[in-house]
Amino acid sequence: MNYIIDIFLIALSAAVINNFVLYYFVGICPFIGVSRRVDMAFGMGCAVTFVISIAAFLSWTITTMVLIPGAPLSSFIAGFFVSKEAAATIDLTVLSYIVYIFSISSSVQFVEMYVRKFFPALYKSFGVFLPLITTNCAILFACLTIMSNVAGVENPADAWDLGRSLTLALFGGLGFTIAIVIMSGIREDLDLCDVPEPFKGAAITLVVGGILALAFMGFTGVDSGLRKAITPGGEVAMEISVEQVQTAMIEPNLHQQIRGIND
Amino acid sequence: MADQPTATERFLQGILPENPVYRQLLGLCPTLAVTNGMKPAITMACSVAFVLVCANVVISLLRNLLKPHLRIVIFTLTIATFVTIADRVLAAYLYQMSKTLGPYIPLIIVNCLIICRCEVCASKQGPFVAASDALGQSLGFGLALASIAAVRELLGTGGLFGYQLLPAAWPDWVIMVLPPGAFITLGLLLGLVNWYSARKSGGSI
């Protein structure tokens, strides 16, 4: 039961509360660049969701099997070359960024080839976006969030499993799609408006994005409130995983810090 | 290579005529995410400068060995190496700051600014030109980050670098240090820069 609630809250948090675009600012380039027409924006959103899920699966597997201290595969290999004690403590997390970016770019390549061969219609609709996705921050951001929840936790029992990681990726991609489709709808109408000359293009898009972010801020705190409502007695035990989700955030920490300096 | 810009031209172009944030709209992810205070903004600018200079020089030295279809992979792997170095150094000497910046330091890897400079300059010109181009671009990036961070921190907390500057009666515009403030500040500053440069070049606005 706790697991289902956890999954539900991760999904809600990734999709609307801490929206990838409007809260974490990842994937801003397509948000500004591609969001001119609703159908193109939707295609981009679908392509990102697709790739982000594959990348999340890969990064979770690699992190758990190879990168974290005492991971099965790396300590098995190290067992051949060095002593068993040294193999148990092997820690490859320093390699994580290189491994992630490599797995993202290779999976994008493979997805592109596979889609082109077997789904030509699909390739036509979002194939043009696929190469761009390699350098989309949202994908790497999802991998890093998964890593910080697998390798960065103090208690090994709190580490995310594959289901949680995939939920984050899938609904993070959904949140990206929601944001970019809303934005493109607004921009289609914005074309008919009389915007001051210096603000045409990116500037007015950013201001509109700010207003959208303001609207999405209305969801803040929904997750902790829901958690309390669903589990009346279980807040204390569950509080850890809320914090886990929050360690991946930057804004609250930074905000607190600025506040702390002020006080 | 007579038609390629020289080192000085590359350096000066980065600061305003081809400013990475205000003109090319590159690297917006860190621009929006870490500019809620001057300290994180300057740390981010320094990390980007380090990665950009190192990656540009390495790519420029490798430029004759690059295969066209593999070059983006080579770029990202080179950048990822230097980002790992920057990340480890920050974690060792500025632990609190590295916690605050969180995932945005590793996200430098996919910062379009660096890949763009590798593609435009480093893969075509020698290491000296590439280094000066990287320095100019990172200076422009740093100035852009500092300008946004100054507006946001001043309005959001009434001070800069944590020192109170505005009178205590100033009501903190907390929204400025939250995500919406980032979008609105950058949008308005972008409009301001566009307006200024159009007026300077004799536009009719």
Side-chain angles (χ1 to χ4, degrees):
Chain A
M1 186 59 196
N2 276 355
Y3 185 70
I4 296 171
I5 295 172
D6 229 30
I7 291 280
F8 174 68
L9 289 177
I10 289 172
L12 190 70
S13 169
V16 288
I17 302 167
N18 300 323
N19 190 286
F20 273 24
V21 178
L22 299 171
Y23 189 87
Y24 289 122
F25 312 107
V26 292
I28 290 286
C29 297
F31 185 65
I32 307 285
V34 183
S35 62
R36 273 179 209 284
R37 279 171 39 217
V38 172
D39 52 343
M40 272 174 79
F42 187 71
M44 183 73 185
C46 290
V48 167
T49 312
F50 187 54
V51 175
I52 216 171
S53 309
I54 294 170
F57 174 74
L58 280 178
S59 73
W60 185 85
T61 316
I62 294 171
T63 313
T64 346
M65 294 296 157
V66 183
L67 294 176
I68 55 170
L73 193 63
S74 50
S75 48
F76 175 74
I77 293 170
F80 284 116
F81 300 104
V82 285
S83 64
K84 280 272 182 290
E85 295 78 51
T89 57
I90 191 161
D91 183 359
L92 294 178
T93 40
V94 71
L95 288 178
S96 51
Y97 305 154
I98 297 177
V99 172
Y100 290 159
I101 196 70
F102 194 67
S103 62
I104 291 171
S105 36
S106 47
S107 63
V108 168
Q109 285 284 337
F110 278 118
V111 167
E112 194 188 354
M113 288 194 292
Y114 181 79
V115 171
R116 182 158 53 184
K117 179 102 174 89
F118 293 103
F119 306 98
L122 193 67
Y123 181 77
K124 267 201 180 135
S125 62
F126 71 61
V128 285
F129 300 121
L130 276 175
L132 290 177
I133 289 174
T134 315
T135 54
N136 187 329
C137 333
I139 317 280
L140 186 62
F141 179 78
C143 294
L144 291 167
T145 312
I146 290 165
M147 183 191 111
S148 70
N149 282 300
V150 171
V153 290
E154 272 148 33
N155 182 2
D158 295 334
W160 277 12
D161 59 354
L162 185 58
R164 288 192 178 90
S165 311
L166 280 180
T167 312
L168 174 94
L170 204 60
F171 284 87
L174 182 73
F176 176 82
T177 315
I178 292 174
I180 199 171
V181 167
I182 293 178
M183 191 66 214
S184 59
I186 295 175
R187 280 186 83 171
E188 281 188 354
D189 277 340
L190 210 57
D191 285 342
L192 307 173
C193 296
D194 186 18
V195 178
E197 191 64 36
F199 279 90
K200 281 205 170 120
I204 192 74
T205 313
L206 282 164
V207 174
V208 171
I211 296 166
L212 264 183
L214 204 59
F216 270 72
M217 261 180 73
F219 290 108
T220 311
V222 169
D223 52 349
S224 51
L226 265 181
R227 199 182 278 279
K228 276 182 191 143
I230 300 170
T231 52
E235 296 119 80
V236 185
M238 312 263 318
E239 212 58 40
I240 303 157
S241 47
V242 175
E243 275 168 14
Q244 250 179 44
V245 177
Q246 279 173 350
T247 43
M249 297 181 193
I250 180 168
E251 292 298 334
N253 303 345
L254 209 51
H255 189 209
Q256 266 167 17
Q257 199 192 342
I258 290 166
R259 271 300 168 87
I261 294 163
N262 246 6
D263 290 343
Chain B
M1 296 247 176
D3 55 336
Q4 296 281 7
T6 61
T8 329
E9 280 168 20
R10 285 278 193 200
F11 180 78
L12 291 177
Q13 266 177 2
I15 296 174
L16 191 62
E18 277 185 24
N19 187 290
V21 174
Y22 289 126
R23 285 300 164 74
Q24 309 181 64
L25 295 172
L26 292 173
L28 290 185
C29 164
T31 310
L32 293 168
V34 302
T35 50
N36 43 7
M38 285 299 270
K39 280 180 196 168
I42 287 174
T43 317
M44 175 53 92
C46 293
S47 320
V48 169
F50 165 74
V51 175
L52 184 53
V53 170
C54 294
N56 247 10
V57 169
V58 169
I59 293 293
S60 161
L61 291 171
L62 289 174
R63 69 187 185 281
N64 295 325
L65 303 170
L66 290 176
K67 301 273 177 291
H69 56 287
L70 283 177
R71 66 182 196 289
I72 300 286
V73 178
I74 305 285
F75 292 169
T76 42
L77 288 181
T78 316
I79 296 165
T81 314
F82 289 113
V83 168
T84 309
I85 296 171
D87 182 60
R88 294 293 92 199
V89 169
L90 275 183
Y93 294 105
L94 292 167
Y95 183 68
Q96 200 52 48
M97 186 50 75
S98 105
K99 275 271 174 238
T100 313
L101 291 174
Y104 294 103
I105 289 289
L107 282 176
I108 296 175
I109 300 171
V110 284
N111 191 327
C112 333
L113 164 64
I114 300 177
I115 299 177
C116 171
R117 292 332 292 179
C118 288
E119 171 82 26
V120 170
C121 178
S123 59
K124 296 194 181 79
Q125 289 181 290
F128 179 67
V129 182
S132 89
D133 175 71
L135 282 175
Q137 291 285 335
S138 24
L139 198 60
F141 186 69
L143 286 175
L145 243 62
S147 62
I148 300 163
V151 173
R152 286 183 69 192
E153 196 182 350
L154 194 64
L155 296 180
T157 66
L160 284 180
F161 292 102
Y163 297 106
Q164 194 72 26
L165 288 181
L166 297 175
W170 174 259
D172 289 353
W173 299 6
V174 179
I175 200 73
M176 293 308 277
V177 290
L178 291 175
F183 282 106
I184 294 172
T185 312
L186 180 59
L188 294 180
L189 283 178
L190 196 63
L192 193 71
V193 170
N194 286 346
W195 173 76
Y196 179 73
S197 49
R199 212 181 64 150
K200 220 173 123 188
S201 65
S204 59
I205 303 160

